[in-house]
Amino acid sequence: MKKIILPLLFIIAFSCKNENSQEIQTLSGEFLYVADGAVLQTKSEVYAVAINELTEELANRSRTFQTDEFDMTSVTVKGIITPNNEEGWKNLLKITEIISVKKSDTKNTSIID
């Protein structure tokens, strides 16, 4: 019986650790949504943004601050960061909450690699 309980405890502890690795984080940066995707550029990294209802809402709210479709807007969002298994940026952000959207203060909003 002890031989079964000990490995079972390790499995439970390991699975709980994996769940915690997907904790929600708050990120601020420059957001851009175009027809084929969305990105969030922070001071240190660029994230691909998963397209979901909140991403669409963020894009709609951002349009009020854009003078053309390629203007970025300053946003603060909460979301889950996971490795991006598709082509593009190395991390994928799934937005879970929109905190703020405003006109970008940055003159140079180019996406860096």
Side-chain angles (χ1 to χ4, degrees):
M1 185 72 167
K2 289 180 183 179
K3 291 181 181 180
I4 295 173
I5 293 176
L6 189 57
L8 187 59
L9 288 175
F10 282 117
I11 291 170
I12 291 171
F14 181 72
S15 65
C16 289
K17 184 177 180 180
N18 284 342
E19 289 175 15
N20 290 338
S21 68
Q22 297 221 343
E23 46 183 70
I24 294 175
Q25 297 183 32
T26 302
L27 297 168
S28 294
E30 302 295 318
F31 174 76
L32 177 64
Y33 179 89
V34 291
D36 58 348
V39 294
L40 177 70
Q41 177 180 342
T42 65
K43 290 181 180 180
S44 60
E45 191 163 348
V46 178
Y47 299 89
V49 179
I51 306 299
N52 60 22
E53 287 181 21
L54 284 173
T55 306
E56 297 286 343
E57 179 185 335
L58 183 58
N60 288 332
R61 290 171 60 180
S62 293
R63 282 187 190 100
T64 61
F65 301 107
Q66 295 175 309
T67 56
D68 68 48
E69 64 182 313
F70 298 107
D71 281 346
M72 299 181 88
T73 52
S74 293
V75 301
T76 302
V77 295
K78 287 187 179 184
I80 298 170
I81 299 170
T82 58
N84 186 7
N85 298 324
E86 297 181 19
E87 187 177 323
W89 309 108
K90 75 176 187 175
N91 288 315
L92 178 69
L93 170 66
K94 179 182 177 193
I95 297 172
T96 57
E97 181 182 346
I98 300 168
I99 298 172
S100 69
V101 182
K102 64 181 182 175
K103 184 174 178 147
S104 178
D105 296 333
T106 309
K107 299 243 186 249
N108 180 11
T109 57
S110 63
I111 304 285
I112 57 170
D113 189 357

